[in-house]
Amino acid sequence: MSAPDVVTLLRAALGERVDTDPLHLDAARADKSGHAATGAPLAIVHAASVPDVQATARIAHATGTPIVTRGAGTGLAGGAHAGPGEIVLSMRAMDRILEVRPDDLLAVVEPGILNADLNRALAAHDLWWAPDPASREISTVGGNIATGAGGLLCAKYGVVRDAVLGVDLVLADGRLLRLGHRSVKGVTGLDLTSLVVGSEGILGVVVGATLRLRHRVPGATRTLTASFPDVRRAAEGAAAVTASGIQPAIMELMDAASLAAVHRLLALPAPAPGVAQLTIQTDGPAATAEAEALTEILSASGATVRLAADDAEADLLWRIRRSLHPAMETLGTTLIEDVSVPRSAMPAMFDEIARIERDYGLIIPTVCHAGDGNLHPNFVFEGDTVPDRVWHAADELFQAALRLGGTLTGEHGVGLLKRRWLADELGDDQWQLQRDIARVFDPTGIMNPGKVFAP
Amino acid sequence: MSAPDVVTLLRAALGERVDTDPLHLDAARADKSGHAATGAPLAIVHAASVPDVQATARIAHATGTPIVTRGAGTGLAGGAHAGPGEIVLSMRAMDRILEVRPDDLLAVVEPGILNADLNRALAAHDLWWAPDPASREISTVGGNIATGAGGLLCAKYGVVRDAVLGVDLVLADGRLLRLGHRSVKGVTGLDLTSLVVGSEGILGVVVGATLRLRHRVPGATRTLTASFPDVRRAAEGAAAVTASGIQPAIMELMDAASLAAVHRLLALPAPAPGVAQLTIQTDGPAATAEAEALTEILSASGATVRLAADDAEADLLWRIRRSLHPAMETLGTTLIEDVSVPRSAMPAMFDEIARIERDYGLIIPTVCHAGDGNLHPNFVFEGDTVPDRVWHAADELFQAALRLGGTLTGEHGVGLLKRRWLADELGDDQWQLQRDIARVFDPTGIMNPGKVFAP
């Protein structure tokens, strides 16, 4: 069926929810990865209800038209790029909180709500949804589910997979499935909820989610920084923290290049050359005791440790970590990578990054969720397109992470950008098996085609 | 191919690992559910290595012979029953700990190791694997993974799904897949590790697992009991605990019938008629403060609270809970059920159990993991076979749990015993989708056929 006919069918079914404004179509070509589809999609459907999603899927299915589901478009792997011949299904308008149950520690939400908006609403009940991607102010819960998002608090409080009890999923043919449950435990049949978490829009459209909540952690938090003469020793310091048995709420590592860039941006005194830094937050009833114990451990590891005296000082210390992305923008265009390795391999992974910097003549400022071994190397370059040299360097990064027992992506997903490396990690047999499983959900291959699995 | 030929092929490939001792074959007909296959299986293969498992799978695949994977045979849902024409693949001899990494908080193990043996070995490193099914002294890690086991500590420390980073899986045709990763985070492709957890042997054979460990919780635990005049008020007391924001390590509820049976068995003074009891453990740095706060909360809920003065008294209080199964055996044969409901629905679920007891003239002593809403009603009857009347009562129990937003099985699995109710919970569309996914792993349907999905 020709493109105009598909749009005509969509308009007949969905009226003014169908958007063909060229500016909007152009925006849907890209996410925040810095890459974009070659041309504009057919139309955007701004779904307001589950039946809207089902109607869109039925038309797409009947006409063989691809659907690209989008939340806020903040992804970093090209998972929500939409191009010529594709329908964009925007879930952003489906942003209601349908239910909050403090007694059951769960909430039922629509996927378009922003993570931070949900958590502001939950705070009134003294509850929170733990996944806290850095994008939480601008990314949707549905997007967090689609990517299997992580964040800073994961080592202590888990990732999205740990915080979703069930999802409602519209299949490619428009049927609605209710996966998972409202109880804490449940093992009836296969765990399709976990399969949908992180599936990047290829299995169906998440139209609702039952989220597992936590009580907010009582008491004040404590924050400290530990400065090391080089990044390897900072990574070893992080390992010493893990080995101590103390579980910080947050433990972030900034290498010298990222720390220096942020200090420049914030007009703070420049750190000594090579200095890398851990920033750590403890929480809960033992927050102060743990912060004091960590101060001793890290000092013994050769760090200069500063325990924030009050919340104002702690906020300043966290502002340095949070200013990483704006600081990177001052350096040029960045490809934000996302490898994850076993915690013991962090020092070796930083060695590999230093080697790749040397071999390719690149600067790769790197921050790391050091509590869980998830590194975000930022490949900095000039211009709009990732140069081949940077992709070659990224390839070396991925191969190094795999050699160290790690993974291509800790929390951003595969999308378009990493699909060519997927079989390197999974192996050919598992790659094919995963693709066949996706085909059970979507036999004609209209759900976000070309993402995750290369065509 | 005839049965003797299959055994001949197995013997040629696996020699003395092939066991056709009639006593052993007879034992493999049953698990601990109290039910058994109508006849004996063909043979038991005592796998000692991954190649043994692959060789068995290749012969099974080539001859179209079903494989039933077994650990210790302690399941409660008939998931490992083996009958005529089937090969039993026993993983019990593959019980090595291949790797313990305190720095990465992970262990790599073979599936046949007993949960408690693993935890005794990990204790030397001050580590533990959190899943703690009541069967932990006699059940294998592989069986825990196959059922998606839970236990007493789940509300605070998670279930098996939360504690497995990766599994090695031999497919029906003998190919080996390595699923998951060694890093804390990882979202490369679909989460097949979670799909395998709880899949009850229908997707393949788990031949190895990378487990997520925890540091042992430092400090002493505190234990208290709260006695209520009836079970409904005890369930409401549990809800008050959850609402308080305090997360006990363990919170168990025993109804009057189960409490009275245990007191009889242990020759303790009989509790007053109708009295139900919560037994609660707190841990961590705030253990005492939390126990004292819970004492106030539960007293205000109408309970008589006893805070154990020392470990010896605490051990006695937990001995009462742990003696439930022996106490049930003094009453007759039991069908141990396993429904799970949202925590707020626990009082209503106990009302339903009381109604079913009245309607069917049955005694259904019930214990409940009250921290997570997982109830184990014990249907007591005479003789070896579950009477139809008990199955009708169990059907009412399942339907009530589903009406209350719950699930058929919180931690035991579907196996043979609950497959006829599976579609009631999943719906026909999801039932078919799940079955089709299983067929991607096992196209000819030789992996534990007839389990989970009715033929």
Side-chain angles (χ1 to χ4, degrees):
Chain A
M1 183 171 283
S2 72
D5 293 339
V6 172
V7 176
T8 303
L9 288 171
L10 288 172
R11 280 200 201 286
L14 292 145
E16 64 188 14
R17 306 219 148 271
V18 181
D19 175 0
T20 54
D21 181 323
L23 279 176
H24 297 168
L25 296 182
D26 192 57
R29 290 169 52 217
D31 60 10
K32 293 220 176 273
S33 66
H35 307 269
T38 52
L42 287 179
I44 300 168
V45 176
H46 298 280
S49 66
V50 175
D52 285 355
V53 174
Q54 293 180 285
T56 306
R58 284 192 206 103
I59 291 168
H61 192 249
T63 60
T65 312
I67 289 180
V68 178
T69 308
R70 274 178 81 91
T74 62
L76 293 167
H81 283 195
E86 297 184 324
I87 299 167
V88 176
L89 184 51
S90 171
M91 306 306 293
R92 189 65 187 83
M94 288 179 63
D95 64 354
R96 292 179 300 165
I97 298 172
L98 302 177
E99 197 180 351
V100 177
R101 289 296 297 254
D103 47 358
D104 289 323
L105 293 176
L106 66 82
V108 181
V109 303
E110 292 183 332
I113 189 168
L114 297 182
N115 178 310
D117 285 345
L118 170 64
N119 274 304
R120 277 186 281 269
L122 292 175
H125 303 273
D126 219 22
L127 298 172
W128 62 305
W129 190 54
D132 70 327
S135 61
R136 65 189 182 207
E137 287 289 345
I138 55 171
S139 66
T140 65
V141 169
N144 297 166
I145 291 171
T147 52
L152 278 60
L153 293 159
C154 302
K156 186 160 187 177
Y157 294 111
V159 292
V160 167
R161 194 194 76 156
D162 306 309
V164 179
L165 294 170
V167 292
D168 296 338
L169 189 77
V170 170
L171 295 177
D173 62 11
R175 282 179 296 158
L176 173 65
L177 300 183
R178 297 188 186 279
L179 311 177
H181 39 79
R182 288 170 66 93
S183 49
V184 176
K185 289 177 182 165
V187 291
T188 305
L190 301 174
D191 182 1
L192 297 191
T193 303
S194 293
L195 197 69
V196 167
V197 171
S199 65
E200 304 188 51
I202 66 172
L203 302 183
V205 184
V206 173
V207 295
T210 303
L211 306 177
R212 182 177 186 160
L213 306 180
R214 291 174 176 272
H215 290 286
R216 274 152 57 109
V217 180
T221 59
R222 296 303 301 272
T223 294
L224 59 93
T225 57
S227 299
F228 294 84
D230 59 59
V231 72
R232 193 175 218 290
R233 269 179 271 194
E236 290 165 356
V241 171
T242 298
S244 76
I246 295 172
Q247 177 63 67
I250 308 177
M251 179 162 61
E252 295 291 302
L253 190 161
M254 298 178 77
D255 76 350
S258 57
L259 192 64
V262 170
H263 277 236
R264 263 196 309 278
L265 178 74
L266 300 181
L268 295 168
V275 162
Q277 185 167 293
L278 290 176
T279 312
I280 296 175
Q281 184 181 90
T282 58
D283 65 357
T288 295
E290 289 180 352
E292 287 166 356
L294 292 179
T295 298
E296 281 191 33
I297 290 164
L298 291 164
S299 299
S301 302
T304 305
V305 182
R306 168 80 202 164
L307 179 57
D310 53 29
D311 284 355
E313 187 181 348
D315 286 348
L316 180 67
L317 295 175
W318 285 113
R319 190 169 160 231
I320 292 172
R321 171 61 184 87
R322 281 199 307 269
S323 300
L324 188 270
H325 288 296
M328 289 300 102
E329 287 169 4
T330 66
L331 299 182
T333 314
T334 52
L335 172 69
I336 304 172
E337 275 312 331
D338 177 41
V339 295
S340 199
V341 296
R343 283 169 280 210
S344 65
M346 280 191 291
M349 192 69 222
F350 277 106
D351 289 347
E352 294 280 357
I353 292 168
R355 177 185 62 77
I356 294 167
E357 285 184 313
R358 286 193 306 273
D359 289 355
Y360 288 83
L362 293 168
I363 301 169
I364 313 177
T366 298
V367 294
C368 176
H369 305 310
D372 57 51
N374 184 198
L375 294 89
H376 294 308
N378 290 262
F379 289 85
V380 181
F381 55 92
E382 301 291 316
D384 285 342
T385 311
V386 181
D388 282 348
R389 189 168 52 101
V390 167
W391 277 127
H392 291 310
D395 175 67
E396 293 229 16
L397 180 84
F398 300 149
Q399 302 304 337
L402 294 178
R403 275 197 307 278
L404 292 169
T407 177
L408 292 174
T409 172
E411 56 187 12
H412 293 171
V414 175
L416 284 173
L417 271 61
K418 288 187 183 164
R419 58 186 188 172
R420 61 174 131 154
W421 289 279
L422 188 63
D424 291 350
E425 179 169 338
L426 300 184
D428 292 338
D429 283 349
Q430 189 186 165
W431 188 97
Q432 189 62 50
L433 183 79
Q434 291 207 359
R435 192 170 168 93
D436 291 346
I437 291 167
R439 281 286 184 272
V440 173
F441 287 79
D442 171 28
T444 62
I446 62 168
M447 298 308 301
N448 214 10
K451 312 292 168 50
V452 186
F453 302 105
Chain B
M1 181 170 287
S2 71
D5 293 339
V6 172
V7 176
T8 303
L9 288 171
L10 289 171
R11 281 200 200 286
L14 292 144
E16 65 188 13
R17 305 219 149 272
V18 182
D19 176 0
T20 54
D21 180 323
L23 279 176
H24 298 168
L25 296 182
D26 192 58
R29 291 168 52 215
D31 61 8
K32 293 220 177 273
S33 67
H35 306 270
T38 51
L42 287 178
I44 300 169
V45 175
H46 298 280
S49 67
V50 175
D52 285 354
V53 174
Q54 293 180 287
T56 305
R58 284 192 206 102
I59 291 168
H61 192 249
T63 59
T65 312
I67 288 179
V68 177
T69 308
R70 274 177 81 91
T74 61
L76 292 167
H81 283 196
E86 297 184 323
I87 300 166
V88 176
L89 185 51
S90 171
M91 305 305 294
R92 189 64 186 85
M94 288 180 65
D95 64 355
R96 292 179 301 164
I97 299 172
L98 302 176
E99 198 181 349
V100 177
R101 291 296 297 253
D103 48 358
D104 289 324
L105 292 177
L106 65 82
V108 181
V109 302
E110 292 184 331
I113 189 169
L114 297 183
N115 179 310
D117 285 345
L118 170 64
N119 274 305
R120 276 187 282 268
L122 293 175
H125 304 272
D126 220 23
L127 299 172
W128 62 304
W129 190 53
D132 71 327
S135 62
R136 65 189 182 207
E137 288 288 344
I138 54 170
S139 65
T140 66
V141 169
N144 298 165
I145 290 172
T147 52
L152 276 62
L153 293 158
C154 302
K156 186 160 187 176
Y157 294 110
V159 292
V160 167
R161 193 194 76 155
D162 305 309
V164 179
L165 294 170
V167 293
D168 296 338
L169 188 78
V170 170
L171 294 177
D173 61 11
R175 283 179 296 158
L176 173 65
L177 300 183
R178 297 187 186 281
L179 311 177
H181 38 79
R182 289 170 65 93
S183 48
V184 176
K185 289 177 182 164
V187 291
T188 306
L190 301 175
D191 182 1
L192 298 192
T193 303
S194 293
L195 197 68
V196 168
V197 171
S199 64
E200 304 189 50
I202 67 172
L203 301 183
V205 183
V206 173
V207 294
T210 303
L211 306 178
R212 183 177 186 160
L213 306 181
R214 291 175 176 270
H215 289 286
R216 273 150 60 106
V217 179
T221 59
R222 296 302 303 270
T223 294
L224 60 92
T225 57
S227 299
F228 293 84
D230 60 59
V231 72
R232 193 175 217 290
R233 270 180 270 193
E236 290 165 355
V241 170
T242 299
S244 75
I246 294 172
Q247 176 63 65
I250 308 177
M251 179 162 61
E252 295 290 302
L253 191 161
M254 299 178 76
D255 75 350
S258 57
L259 192 65
V262 170
H263 276 237
R264 262 195 311 279
L265 179 74
L266 300 181
L268 296 168
V275 162
Q277 185 167 291
L278 290 175
T279 312
I280 295 175
Q281 184 181 90
T282 59
D283 67 355
T288 295
E290 289 180 353
E292 287 166 355
L294 292 179
T295 298
E296 281 191 33
I297 290 164
L298 291 164
S299 299
S301 300
T304 304
V305 182
R306 167 81 204 168
L307 180 56
D310 53 30
D311 284 355
E313 187 181 348
D315 287 347
L316 180 67
L317 295 175
W318 284 113
R319 191 169 158 231
I320 292 171
R321 171 61 184 87
R322 282 199 307 270
S323 301
L324 189 270
H325 287 296
M328 288 301 103
E329 287 170 5
T330 66
L331 299 182
T333 314
T334 53
L335 172 69
I336 304 172
E337 275 311 333
D338 177 42
V339 294
S340 199
V341 295
R343 283 169 280 210
S344 65
M346 280 190 291
M349 193 68 221
F350 277 105
D351 290 347
E352 294 281 357
I353 292 168
R355 176 185 62 77
I356 294 166
E357 285 184 313
R358 285 193 305 273
D359 289 356
Y360 287 83
L362 293 167
I363 300 170
I364 314 177
T366 298
V367 294
C368 176
H369 306 311
D372 57 51
N374 183 198
L375 294 88
H376 295 307
N378 291 262
F379 289 84
V380 181
F381 55 91
E382 300 291 317
D384 285 343
T385 311
V386 181
D388 281 348
R389 188 168 51 104
V390 168
W391 278 127
H392 290 311
D395 175 67
E396 293 228 17
L397 180 84
F398 300 149
Q399 302 304 339
L402 294 178
R403 276 197 307 276
L404 291 169
T407 178
L408 293 175
T409 171
E411 55 186 14
H412 293 170
V414 175
L416 285 173
L417 269 61
K418 288 187 183 164
R419 59 187 187 173
R420 61 175 130 154
W421 289 279
L422 188 62
D424 290 350
E425 178 168 338
L426 300 184
D428 291 339
D429 283 350
Q430 190 187 164
W431 188 96
Q432 189 63 50
L433 183 80
Q434 292 208 359
R435 191 169 169 95
D436 290 347
I437 291 168
R439 281 286 184 271
V440 172
F441 287 79
D442 172 27
T444 63
I446 62 168
M447 299 308 301
N448 215 10
K451 312 293 168 48
V452 185
F453 302 105

